[in-house]
Amino acid sequence: MASSAYSTVIGPPPESFAELTPTTALTEGRGAPKPSTEFGNVDAASRQALWRQLASVVGMDVMNMRLSLPIWLFEPSTALTRMIETFEFSDLLDRAATSDDPVLRDCLVAAFVISAFSHTERVRKPFNPVLGESFEYTHPLNGMRFYAEQVEHHPPVSVSHCEGKGWEAGEVVDIAATFHGNSIEVRNVGSRYINLHKTGDRYSWTLPQALVSNLFVGGAFVDHFGTVELKNETTGTSATLNLTQCGWFSAGRYEVAGELLDSNATKIVLFKGAWNKFLDCERVAKAKGEGTNRLWMAGSHLLSEEEGGGVTGVYANCTKFTKKILSLHSDHALELPPNDSRFRPDRLALEKGNRTVAAEEKIRIEQMQRDRRAAAKKRVESGGGKIQPRYFRKVAEDKQLWEPIGNYWTDSRNLSEDDRKNMVMW
């Protein structure tokens, strides 16, 4: 995993801005961004067929429709595995959890929020998890533990919980995706939080819009634009981070600018960066000799063209972290519950480059999911209860607010043979 700029600091974690690394001592990570990302060698007939399928839903939310999309749109990940990618630079939260400087803590969390966009440049779609599907990851070095579960299917809702050194975090992914003809606008209307144990700081934030452009004409690319509102609910401080929308000839693409306000709405820190590469900060009232400092840098975290399989490879434009979290070692496979995303046959076939089998398995799994939903609906209509998630509970029926039950790491490791059979989803 690529490390943040703090890795150049020798000794204990920085307690103040004086211990941060000046930006002049660092590069900006990888070189000039590529203007677009292709789906691979997709012939015109395939794109035209997809357009005919989608032409009647222009302007509509396609997340709530029963659309079976072609396999060439997909990569071998799921929406659950995309959620752990948010924590690729979790070392920023490790630093925030140990810092005694409240301003530095806020800045580190802001950097973490921006770093979460750095894996999202690729345009291929992850597989939609089926109801009850899960995913877990434990970092081999820092001990960070993550798990996620698909808790609702129509509309699809995914929930995650993550624990690190002195912090915990969670997210509810509730996506609205509107098709506009040659692009798809994506909004995540879910919620997310970070708790720092030592100080009691609790953070929450909103997400900007995302636009996947040039699906049928031109080179496809992803753009994030709008405002991220980050709040420290404990201290009352807040950060506003503005992501510039990509203009003509890629003008302004990736740019981030913002400010940190104290509880009296006084501006105390300025931010500037690029959501795919780095974030810098600068105090408004600087001490003598103090300049701009780098909070986070992505570095060379993308897979090389060879590692990704070339421009047509299934891992094209993915990060090294993406490939790492999906690797399935034999000793780890014995511990995983059978509903883990890594075991999906459509995902596995695509990972091996067999798009024909992946497409067949995808259709089969989608039909199984529809049959399960129909059976569950009949059960409720006949007086039976709804299927409940295994690892999360809903806090409010009228809102997408969820909390972990706290049973994942015990229940997933103590499954009986009958449990394992009943949990097979595909």
Side-chain angles (χ1 to χ4, degrees):
M1 185 199 302
S3 60
S4 77
Y6 291 120
S7 298
T8 63
V9 178
I10 298 175
E15 294 293 341
S16 68
F17 276 77
E19 296 185 43
L20 286 177
T21 307
T23 57
T24 53
L26 293 166
T27 65
E28 292 184 359
R30 60 179 182 262
K34 296 180 179 180
S36 63
T37 304
E38 298 295 343
F39 288 108
N41 292 332
V42 181
D43 57 86
S46 296
R47 290 200 180 199
Q48 289 171 3
L50 178 59
W51 165 249
R52 287 193 295 271
Q53 179 184 353
L54 297 176
S56 62
V57 297
V58 173
M60 301 174 69
D61 182 1
V62 293
M63 289 300 293
N64 294 312
M65 297 181 178
R66 295 177 180 177
L67 298 172
S68 184
L69 298 174
I71 201 68
W72 57 262
L73 278 173
F74 288 79
E75 66 175 30
S77 68
T78 73
L80 300 182
T81 63
R82 284 288 191 97
M83 292 175 80
I84 176 58
E85 292 184 64
T86 297
F87 295 92
E88 178 175 359
F89 298 98
S90 62
D91 59 312
L92 292 164
L93 298 183
D94 293 344
R95 302 287 184 175
T98 59
S99 175
D100 292 325
D101 183 339
V103 178
L104 180 57
R105 289 198 300 272
D106 289 350
C107 289
L108 288 167
V109 173
F112 169 80
V113 170
I114 293 301
S115 77
F117 294 102
S118 65
H119 71 272
T120 63
E121 287 189 76
R122 58 197 198 265
V123 295
R124 284 180 178 157
K125 184 184 181 303
F127 287 96
N128 292 333
V130 299
L131 186 63
E133 186 174 332
S134 68
F135 185 81
E136 70 170 66
Y137 179 73
T138 299
H139 197 286
L141 298 179
N142 63 23
M144 178 189 73
R145 300 198 305 178
F146 168 97
Y147 61 91
E149 181 181 11
Q150 189 73 5
V151 296
E152 292 185 359
H153 182 71
H154 195 72
V157 177
S158 312
V159 186
S160 71
H161 180 71
C162 192
E163 303 166 357
K165 292 181 179 179
W167 57 269
E168 65 178 358
E171 182 180 18
V172 177
V173 172
D174 183 8
I175 299 267
T178 306
F179 179 60
H180 292 299
N182 196 35
S183 64
I184 293 181
E185 178 187 337
V186 180
R187 291 177 179 269
N188 184 351
V189 295
S191 58
R192 54 217 60 83
Y193 71 89
I194 294 168
N195 292 336
L196 304 183
H197 297 160
K198 178 181 175 182
T199 61
D201 289 338
R202 180 180 176 87
Y203 296 88
S204 62
W205 64 99
T206 61
L207 291 178
Q209 293 174 246
L211 193 67
V212 186
S213 298
N214 298 350
L215 290 173
F216 303 101
V217 180
F221 70 95
V222 175
D223 187 31
H224 298 283
F225 59 93
T227 302
V228 174
E229 295 286 352
L230 171 66
K231 296 181 179 178
N232 185 327
E233 298 174 4
T234 305
T235 65
T237 57
S238 62
T240 300
L241 300 158
N242 298 305
L243 282 63
T244 303
Q245 185 170 8
C246 180
W248 289 101
F249 307 108
S250 296
R253 188 179 178 193
Y254 304 121
E255 289 183 5
V256 178
E259 56 194 29
L260 176 66
L261 308 178
D262 65 16
S263 57
N264 296 316
T266 301
K267 193 182 302 183
I268 53 178
V269 172
L270 300 178
F271 297 108
K272 188 175 183 180
W275 54 259
N276 68 330
K277 291 194 295 184
F278 69 100
L279 187 70
D280 291 345
C281 67
E282 182 178 352
R283 281 188 185 271
V284 173
K286 293 182 288 188
K288 185 177 180 180
E290 186 178 14
T292 303
N293 296 288
R294 181 139 299 167
L295 290 162
W296 160 74
M297 181 175 65
S300 56
H301 74 150
L302 284 178
L303 289 169
S304 67
E305 189 168 312
E306 182 180 357
E307 291 170 324
V311 294
T312 62
V314 294
Y315 279 114
N317 215 41
C318 287
T319 69
K320 296 171 185 176
F321 188 62
T322 308
K323 200 168 184 179
K324 181 178 180 180
I325 62 175
L326 288 169
S327 62
L328 187 61
H329 302 295
S330 57
D331 54 345
H332 188 208
L334 296 174
E335 297 179 342
L336 293 174
N339 58 338
D340 190 279
S341 293
R342 296 175 182 86
F343 295 127
R344 285 184 63 128
D346 49 2
R347 192 205 70 79
L348 283 169
L350 184 58
E351 186 175 45
K352 295 174 182 176
N354 194 331
R355 288 183 168 86
T356 300
V357 172
E360 294 171 349
E361 288 296 320
K362 175 178 170 292
I363 293 171
R364 183 181 67 83
I365 291 172
E366 288 172 346
Q367 185 56 50
M368 289 178 66
Q369 178 71 358
R370 284 191 286 270
D371 293 344
R372 286 196 191 100
R373 288 186 61 233
K377 184 178 180 182
K378 286 183 179 180
R379 184 166 55 251
V380 172
E381 290 173 348
S382 62
K386 291 175 61 178
I387 298 176
Q388 298 297 324
R390 280 178 168 267
Y391 309 118
F392 296 91
R393 65 169 66 93
K394 203 169 188 178
V395 177
E397 279 301 318
D398 58 336
K399 297 179 181 179
Q400 290 295 354
L401 297 176
W402 296 78
E403 63 182 11
I405 296 174
N407 62 336
Y408 179 83
W409 298 107
T410 53
D411 287 12
S412 66
R413 297 301 187 269
N414 295 285
L415 296 171
S416 66
E417 286 302 313
D418 287 340
D419 284 336
R420 298 190 74 86
K421 291 178 182 178
N422 292 333
M423 290 172 68
V424 175
M425 329 219 71
W426 28 71

